[in-house]
Amino acid sequence: MPELKNLMISVSGVRGIIGDGLTPEVALHFAQAYGSQFGPGRIVVGRDSRVTGELVKYAVWAGLLSTGCDVVDIGMATTPTTAMATERAENAGGIIITASHNPREWNALKLLARDGLFLSPEAGAEILERVRQQDFRFVAWDKVGRVIPHPAAAKEHLDAVAGLELVDVDLIRKRRFRVVADPCNGAGGTILPQLFDRLGCEAFFLNLEPHGRFPRSPEPLAANLGELCAAVTAHGADLGIAVDPDVDRLALVSNRGIPLGEEYTLGLATDFVLSHTPGEVAVNASTSLVIDDIAARYGSRVHRTPVGEIHVATKARTTGAVIAGEGNGGVIYPALHLGRDAIVGIALVLQSLAEKEKSLAELQSDLPQYVMVKDKIALPFDADAKAMVARLIQKHAGDKVDLTDGLKFLYDHAWVHIRASNTEPIIRVIAEARSEEEARRRVDALKQEFASLQ
Ligand code: MG
């Protein structure tokens, strides 16, 4: 059995640095466990543009084929494209090979359930137990699976977005939006040109080729988008668009060349969807108060969940939410599917711009104004981040705090939140307030208190 160290193992899969934790053997064993659990049947496999994508792909294929599963090969694809392909009735599951916004030396397996959502915590625990116990169900040579090429997944994804009731392709095309997009040499390079072509946009690209050698930190944070901002100004564009390497997070730059901040992506989508479709909203515990204030305008209720797409998606399903997501640019539009999807996020934002006949800067200024400060505390791989946060929770036992995920203190138009990351060996400390000064002060105070307990 391969050593399971230097890996981030969570309910949604396994992440690590290739050659230092995530080896072909680890990928093989997780795929064998997955195939043993959900096979035999057709398993969709997509991958992002990482340099190690092929290496991991063939290990995953071998694991699935050896347990009697057929591989539906959709090639290089975004996470939402893979999820939508998975939920088709003829498929039994899906695996996405991507480390999302992690640096380029990382890769990962994200494991999906038959319905296209990430695995539930229980199903994820079963996979991990199979890996630990080496509990695999191999089939005889004449029962091994086959590889079924399915190159149409991106087109099917785009067809579904264009077919949404709220998306009027003709109206968007009439506006001939000028957009600059930066997919950071990730999987977005395979689908964004097709999207803009269909929506009649005049598109300019930075870092388009999907070769996986990310030229900057691939997380679409405002601090990483300097080149995009300059390009928006230089081209006189209506907006700038940044997606992470697997295209489930979307960040926008206004027509003035200023990043809106990731939180405003979901804010814009929420305002637009609620203005057409009254209903409930589901977001995670770290998502901006912008959402609460918008929901209040429409008399909508906001449900909060622990951080992690599966929690938000499950809550969206049980509440019948009309819009959901995570403040880090992850828009979930349940009318399409229950997964974070930058492609549908772009379509909703362009539709909103087309209908309101306002600039993106004007649309943002119509939304509630808050400032968020996101900080983190780096830990070694083997640190027990949850136990460290638990000490702080214990100290505040009896205080009026929110324990949805980690520990969150709520104030008037402000909050500060500390929690262990699910995907990296870090603790996240995030605050939001009306002013940057207040948010920074709350982050610093909480970090200091945390440090004093360790
Ligand atoms: Mg991602």
Side-chain angles (χ1 to χ4, degrees):
M1 169 176 162
E3 251 189 313
L4 297 179
K5 66 170 199 180
N6 287 1
L7 291 168
M8 295 297 299
I9 297 174
S10 73
V11 298
S12 62
V14 57
R15 285 188 196 217
I17 293 171
I18 293 291
D20 181 21
L22 188 55
T23 60
E25 290 85 354
V26 170
L28 175 73
H29 285 219
F30 272 83
Q32 284 170 339
Y34 186 92
S36 302
Q37 186 79 11
F38 296 107
R42 293 164 56 123
I43 309 296
V44 176
V45 180
R47 70 167 184 96
D48 75 10
S49 67
R50 283 164 197 274
V51 173
T52 58
E54 293 270 295
L55 179 163
V56 179
K57 179 183 87 174
Y58 288 118
V60 166
W61 282 16
L64 293 173
L65 298 172
S66 69
T67 51
C69 295
D70 292 330
V71 169
V72 179
D73 172 24
I74 63 169
M76 195 183 292
T78 72
T79 286
T81 304
T82 313
M84 286 200 64
T86 297
E87 70 182 45
R88 294 168 77 97
E90 65 268 28
N91 297 324
I95 296 178
I96 310 159
I97 300 162
T98 174
S100 191
H101 60 271
N102 286 40
R104 55 194 185 174
E105 65 272 22
W106 287 69
N107 213 329
L109 269 55
K110 286 192 187 178
L111 307 176
L112 298 170
R114 176 188 283 271
D115 58 8
L117 270 61
F118 285 106
L119 291 187
S120 67
E122 299 74 31
E126 281 170 8
I127 297 294
L128 183 57
E129 192 54 23
R130 275 190 186 271
V131 172
R132 292 223 159 99
Q133 301 297 327
Q134 300 283 287
D135 178 14
F136 307 135
R137 260 205 312 254
F138 295 115
V139 296
W141 70 270
D142 57 346
K143 297 284 191 300
V144 298
R146 64 201 173 100
V147 177
I148 305 163
H150 185 75
K155 181 180 176 299
E156 289 161 359
H157 184 185
L158 292 170
D159 287 346
V161 170
L164 286 167
E165 208 180 312
L166 284 195
V167 176
D168 181 345
V169 172
D170 291 337
L171 181 72
I172 296 174
R173 289 185 68 87
K174 275 197 196 114
R175 287 290 301 274
R176 301 248 348 125
F177 288 112
R178 274 169 87 87
V179 301
V180 186
D182 179 359
C184 197
N185 303 114
T190 62
I191 192 169
L192 288 177
Q194 298 176 63
L195 173 71
F196 295 131
D197 191 43
R198 287 177 80 139
L199 296 180
C201 298
E202 193 181 351
F204 306 89
F205 292 96
L206 305 173
N207 309 315
L208 178 63
E209 196 191 335
H211 57 51
R213 288 178 211 88
F214 311 142
R216 57 169 172 80
S217 168
E219 200 165 7
L221 302 173
N224 297 330
L225 304 182
E227 200 192 351
L228 178 61
C229 294
V232 167
T233 309
H235 288 291
D238 295 296
L239 73 164
I241 286 168
V243 294
D244 75 331
D246 68 323
V247 197
D248 55 1
R249 285 170 63 179
L250 168 65
L252 301 166
V253 171
S254 83
N255 48 301
R256 295 183 187 149
I258 299 169
L260 270 55
E262 289 184 299
E263 296 291 327
Y264 278 91
T265 308
L266 186 57
L268 287 165
T270 300
D271 188 59
F272 172 71
V273 170
L274 290 181
S275 74
H276 286 274
T277 324
E280 312 214 338
V281 182
V283 295
N284 74 30
S286 271
T287 298
S288 174
L289 289 168
V290 167
I291 303 300
D292 301 70
D293 290 7
I294 292 168
R297 290 180 185 171
Y298 297 99
S300 292
R301 184 168 168 206
V302 178
H303 301 271
R304 296 252 171 197
T305 75
V307 175
E309 180 171 339
I310 182 62
H311 300 297
V312 181
T314 304
K315 182 64 86 175
R317 175 182 276 165
T318 56
T319 60
V322 294
I323 183 77
E326 302 195 282
N328 60 6
V331 174
I332 297 176
Y333 185 45
L336 181 69
H337 68 132
L338 285 168
R340 299 187 307 183
D341 185 335
I343 301 300
V344 79
I346 292 167
L348 294 176
V349 168
L350 291 178
Q351 179 72 26
S352 185
L353 284 169
E355 282 182 20
K356 293 183 178 157
E357 298 193 341
K358 286 184 173 182
S359 72
L360 186 54
E362 287 167 335
L363 274 193
Q364 187 194 20
S365 68
D366 290 345
L367 296 181
Q369 301 298 311
Y370 288 94
V371 183
M372 201 179 273
V373 169
K374 300 183 179 186
D375 207 334
K376 57 191 171 188
I377 301 163
L379 302 172
F381 259 111
D382 54 357
D384 190 346
K386 285 203 161 68
M388 296 167 87
V389 174
R391 273 175 228 151
L392 198 61
I393 293 174
Q394 196 161 23
K395 187 182 165 202
H396 288 279
D399 293 355
K400 196 167 170 288
V401 292
D402 180 339
L403 299 176
T404 303
D405 186 357
L407 179 64
K408 187 175 176 185
F409 298 88
L410 302 166
Y411 310 98
D412 189 26
H413 293 293
W415 51 267
V416 60
H417 185 199
I418 184 166
R419 54 175 286 277
S421 165
N422 299 322
T423 53
E424 293 171 80
I426 58 174
I427 284 174
R428 294 194 186 278
V429 187
I430 303 179
E432 183 174 48
R434 291 289 195 194
S435 73
E436 182 167 0
E437 183 276 328
E438 182 187 343
R440 186 77 251 172
R441 180 163 48 80
R442 294 198 184 280
V443 163
D444 290 344
L446 189 56
K447 277 176 76 178
Q448 207 161 25
E449 189 187 347
F450 173 82
S452 72
L453 288 178
Q454 309 305 323

